[in-house]
Amino acid sequence: MVSEFIATFLQAHPDVTVELDFSSHRVDLLEEEFDLAIRMGDLADASYVARRLTTIEMQTLASPSYLANSAPVTHPKHLKSHRCITGSVTKWRFEHTDTKESVEVPIEGVLSCKNGRVLINAAKKGLGLIRVPRIYCESEIARGQLVPVFTEWQVSDVPLSLIYHKDKYQPNRIRACISHLIGAFGNC
């Protein structure tokens, strides 16, 4: 999604160049010389401007083959006896859709990787359960390659924000990119 929005920005602004970095660590905009960053999750740093772009729906998923050959998973506590594939988050929090009971489960992954595509491919091969943003794997869900694990438990949605320096003298290219990204995400 981000790469598509950057591509349309570059088509509209052929004189601008972009260096795109999809690293998982939280960059320091000033120290690492980034103009903009897009972050998932709550933002604690007030030294930057943060604009919420959208909210990301998180899901716990597995392949039908994994679920067919494993014990039932009806409660988050059951995850301790299942093979899980983790990214950067190793404590998975769930909320019951009716009672609003909250449960946090520490997860030890059989595979740990901070790349969503790696997690999805491993889950499709039946290696275990994943928790990822739904937008990462909508086509796999639509094709039935991955299915939601829980019906009564959900993961809270996660904010996706654009952050940038509090500089009122920003270059036009930065202001144009900020405006483009806010508009593009607003049209999703």
Side-chain angles (χ1 to χ4, degrees), residues 31-43:
E31 182 144 332
E32 297 180 52
E33 298 181 3
F34 282 88
D35 295 314
L36 307 169
I38 297 176
R39 290 191 182 155
M40 284 180 60
D42 295 321
L43 303 174

Side-chain angles (χ1 to χ4, degrees), residues 30-168:
L30 289 174
E31 182 144 332
E32 297 180 52
E33 298 181 3
F34 282 88
D35 295 314
L36 307 169
I38 297 176
R39 290 191 182 155
M40 284 180 60
D42 295 321
L43 303 174
D45 191 344
S47 63
Y48 301 111
V49 176
R51 294 286 305 265
R52 184 173 287 199
L53 297 171
T54 190
T55 302
I56 303 294
E57 178 186 353
M58 301 295 292
Q59 289 221 303
T60 307
L61 305 160
S63 70
S65 65
Y66 177 85
L67 294 174
N69 296 311
S70 301
V73 187
T74 57
H75 192 283
K77 290 181 182 178
H78 295 158
L79 293 172
K80 290 181 181 183
S81 62
H82 280 269
R83 296 173 60 87
C84 295
I85 305 163
T86 63
S88 56
V89 177
T90 57
K91 286 187 179 176
W92 293 2
R93 178 177 289 286
F94 298 88
E95 184 177 281
H96 193 275
T97 53
D98 293 331
T99 66
K100 303 302 180 199
E101 173 191 359
S102 181
V103 175
E104 186 173 272
V105 182
I107 302 295
E108 292 184 26
V110 296
L111 171 64
S112 179
C113 182
K114 293 181 181 177
N115 181 291
R117 187 53 36 205
V118 170
L119 301 178
I120 291 163
N121 287 334
K124 283 174 20 182
K125 294 193 180 302
L127 296 180
L129 296 99
I130 59 172
R131 188 177 90 162
V132 294
R134 182 180 175 91
I135 61 171
Y136 284 10
C137 54
E138 287 181 334
S139 62
E140 289 86 351
I141 294 169
R143 289 192 299 265
Q145 294 173 305
L146 293 174
V147 295
V149 173
F150 297 112
T151 56
E152 297 179 354
W153 294 90
Q154 64 186 16
V155 180
S156 296
D157 292 344
V158 177
L160 184 71
S161 303
L162 176 65
I163 63 167
Y164 49 93
H165 305 282
K166 290 182 179 180
D167 186 355
K168 64 182 177 180

